[in-house]
Amino acid sequence: AADTAYLIERVVDRIENRLVRFVLRYGVVPQYLTRDYLVNVLQPYLAAVADGRMTLDDPHADALHADVLQRAPFSLKEQRGATLDIDALWAELTSFSSQHSWVSPAGQDVVRFHPDVVEPMLRLLRQSRQPILQQLHRDTVAYCEQQAAAQPQQRARWLAEAVYHKLATGDDDALAYWQAAWGKLANQVGDRDPAPLVDLAKETLALLDADVG
């Protein structure tokens, strides 16, 4: 697809640090990539890439044209023995936001990737049947649940994203999960304040609509 070619040739191939390429590869999963998410969710997988222990992702099996695969835009072999420095990775990633449009700042220690990067990257992982994608969705569900508990004022937003990622896993209990999230929030707010429930519905629909679009 043309957008995948753009992703590889205009973005990925121009990132010299190949570990930063994997930050991009995995960092498109959450709606926003935060430094906290990088540390608490992505770091173990990036460490596995750096140590040559990654078993959930095989970029050499990506659904790309043979000539592109031969260039190895995402190479595990070249990462073996690499030093994982989260601070340096984050600094390098955020430095791109001042020079390129594919990533932009979205708050303190927060960046957002452009849809022209997110959509083809997620599609590539799905079409390539890389197990890392489903695992990251599941990890993100747990992360969002933790954030919902830690940030009561943002509970609806975090639960909505948790529901989105649960649906993205394709797990059989995704609908039951959404119902449980709704019930949990309803029990917390009761009849005194329906706003969080309205927010949960709006946030969930917005995320699903953005994904479909």
Side-chain angles (χ1 to χ4, degrees):
D3 56 354
T4 303
Y6 173 89
L7 168 67
I8 300 299
E9 295 174 9
R10 301 296 299 276
V11 178
V12 177
D13 283 349
R14 298 185 181 190
I15 301 174
E16 293 186 12
N17 186 331
R18 290 182 174 258
L19 276 178
V20 175
R21 295 186 183 189
F22 279 90
V23 174
L24 170 62
R25 184 176 175 92
Y26 302 152
V28 296
V29 172
Q31 298 299 307
Y32 295 87
L33 177 61
T34 66
R35 189 185 182 285
D36 187 70
Y37 182 94
L38 180 67
V39 171
N40 290 292
V41 179
L42 296 187
Q43 183 168 251
Y45 300 112
L46 295 172
V49 169
D51 293 343
R53 297 180 290 103
M54 172 53 74
T55 59
L56 296 175
D57 189 18
D58 181 10
H60 297 293
D62 278 349
L64 295 168
H65 289 297
D67 60 332
V68 178
L69 278 177
Q70 190 172 14
R71 299 205 310 268
F74 299 99
S75 175
L76 293 174
K77 183 180 297 185
E78 292 186 31
Q79 298 313 313
R80 292 177 183 172
T83 299
L84 181 64
D85 185 334
I86 290 295
D87 290 333
L89 287 179
W90 181 254
E92 186 167 348
L93 177 66
T94 54
S95 72
F96 284 110
S97 66
S98 64
Q99 309 167 36
H100 304 278
S101 61
W102 55 265
V103 61
S104 57
Q108 184 175 0
D109 288 335
V110 185
V111 298
R112 189 168 198 178
F113 295 113
H114 194 280
D116 289 347
V117 169
V118 175
E119 293 165 12
M121 189 71 256
L122 287 176
R123 187 174 64 248
L124 177 62
L125 292 173
R126 282 195 300 264
Q127 292 179 343
S128 306
R129 300 181 182 275
Q130 300 290 6
I132 187 65
L133 179 59
Q134 300 302 94
Q135 187 58 53
L136 285 174
H137 277 306
R138 294 188 178 101
D139 289 351
T140 306
V141 170
Y143 177 81
C144 290
E145 290 174 345
Q146 293 169 0
Q147 297 305 307
Q151 303 178 42
Q153 298 300 321
Q154 297 292 321
R155 184 181 294 115
R157 175 211 156 192
W158 286 112
L159 287 178
E161 186 166 351
V163 169
Y164 165 81
H165 288 287
K166 185 65 175 179
L167 292 170
T169 66
D171 291 344
D172 294 337
D173 61 342
L175 179 57
Y177 181 88
W178 187 89
Q179 293 171 329
W182 180 277
K184 181 178 180 181
L185 189 57
N187 288 335
Q188 290 175 347
V189 301
D191 296 329
R192 69 183 184 279
D193 183 14
L197 292 173
V198 174
D199 290 343
L200 175 58
K202 287 182 177 178
E203 291 276 0
T204 304
L205 289 172
L207 287 172
L208 293 175
D209 181 64
D211 189 55
V212 171

